[in-house]
Amino acid sequence: VFFYVDLQNFAAGYQLNDKGLRIPLTDVQRADRTDSSKANELLDWNNNQRNHGGAEDIPISEDALQMLRDTFQKLRDNGGTGYVRFNYAINAEVYNEPYDFKTMLEHIEQVSEVITEYCDVIGAVECGMIGPFGEMHSSPYCAAEYANQIIDTYLKNTPENVKLLIRTPRYIMNYLCYKSTGKLGQVELNDGTTRAVMEAGNNRYSTLVPFDNIKGIEQADMQRLSLYNDGYMNSSSDLGTWGNR
């Protein structure tokens, strides 16, 4: 079973749609806001069209987390396996994520507790969250400085048997650079040498990076990271999954 988990909308109950079971988590993100000045920051939030409606970011409620537990328990009781993606927009809307990025990381920590409890029935987590449908595009948080922290927080807070799926190879390569050297486009090997992750003059990933020999990367973490290719066969690049192949 594939799960969308909506972290933004105020709704109750379950809805079935063409992509699986959608679980709206109630009262997740919003509460009264007295300071609206933040809406003018961070790329001007799409010319102030984010429209908080007098709201601020809050933790996921205990009721919402219990709803998630109840759903995964049904999956366990019926011998099923689930793949899950958490998101803040179940449509093409943009800038629905928490204004404070730390809140998003706290949300990941909260849902990771539930994932850990039910790791026997969760095959993988799609580390989307950002952008429309949680597909990791069209959001300021797609920048490496944010996406790397999203991946890192999931890795640190979920058990090793749960795979983590990322939208494109670029995010994975950026994460490897972040953990190895802290510099985009470069990793350090265990022998002290450095390698560029992109071929010079080409928009292609280098075949000269030995992924089992990168300093600062746990092999257990490497083995957990893979792709979810939402754009498969929709274009020559799978809708941006791949660059120049």
Side-chain angles (χ1 to χ4, degrees):
V1 179
F2 179 74
F3 295 93
Y4 270 143
V5 183
D6 177 10
L7 295 173
Q8 190 263 336
N9 288 302
F10 181 89
Y14 304 130
Q15 299 179 46
L16 285 173
N17 65 13
D18 59 349
K19 292 189 176 181
L21 182 63
R22 180 174 294 164
I23 312 168
L25 298 185
T26 61
D27 295 319
V28 171
Q29 188 188 340
R30 305 203 167 174
D32 290 338
R33 164 174 283 179
T34 56
D35 178 13
S36 62
S37 63
K38 292 183 180 179
N40 295 312
E41 302 173 13
L42 193 55
L43 296 186
D44 202 29
W45 288 104
N46 200 18
N47 296 320
N48 294 334
Q49 293 179 19
R50 186 166 185 250
N51 188 20
H52 272 292
E56 68 179 8
D57 304 324
I58 62 174
I60 299 174
S61 70
E62 287 303 316
D63 286 345
L65 292 172
Q66 187 57 51
M67 181 185 293
L68 191 60
R69 288 185 175 94
D70 292 344
T71 301
F72 290 158
Q73 184 61 48
K74 292 178 182 178
L75 191 67
R76 178 184 284 165
D77 292 342
N78 288 278
T81 300
Y83 286 70
V84 60
R85 182 198 304 169
F86 299 93
N87 61 76
Y88 299 98
I90 58 175
N91 49 35
E93 291 183 1
V94 295
Y95 303 112
N96 285 332
E97 302 92 340
Y99 174 74
D100 186 347
F101 182 66
K102 291 181 180 179
T103 300
M104 187 186 300
L105 300 183
E106 291 168 357
H107 287 172
I108 294 173
E109 291 174 353
Q110 287 184 278
V111 298
S112 292
E113 291 184 11
V114 182
I115 291 169
T116 299
E117 292 175 32
Y118 290 91
C119 63
D120 56 310
V121 295
I122 303 300
V125 176
E126 295 185 359
C127 301
M129 304 206 52
I130 50 180
F133 306 100
E135 290 180 348
M136 302 185 78
H137 65 80
S138 307
S139 168
Y141 293 136
C142 292
E145 62 181 298
Y146 300 113
N148 289 336
Q149 294 182 67
I150 291 172
I151 296 171
D152 204 45
T153 303
Y154 268 120
L155 281 171
K156 290 178 178 177
N157 289 278
T158 54
E160 290 186 1
N161 65 305
V162 175
K163 304 300 182 184
L164 302 177
L165 309 183
I166 319 298
R167 178 63 186 89
T168 69
R170 173 173 60 87
Y171 287 108
I172 296 178
M173 298 300 285
N174 286 344
Y175 178 73
L176 297 181
C177 296
Y178 163 72
K179 294 296 288 186
S180 179
T181 65
K183 300 177 182 178
L184 282 176
Q186 189 177 85
V187 295
E188 181 180 355
L189 305 185
N190 288 320
D191 63 6
T193 61
T194 58
R195 296 279 178 88
V197 299
M198 301 293 289
E199 293 183 359
N202 290 306
N203 184 28
R204 294 190 299 192
Y205 298 108
S206 173
T207 59
L208 301 178
V209 177
F211 293 105
D212 60 348
N213 193 30
I214 299 176
K215 186 176 180 179
I217 304 296
E218 296 290 337
Q219 283 304 298
D221 289 344
M222 277 291 300
Q223 293 168 6
R224 295 179 63 195
L225 298 177
S226 188
L227 301 176
Y228 68 93
N229 187 359
D230 269 7
Y232 182 62
M233 295 187 70
N234 276 272
S235 72
S236 60
S237 66
D238 290 351
L239 292 182
T241 301
W242 312 103
N244 179 6
R245 288 185 285 179

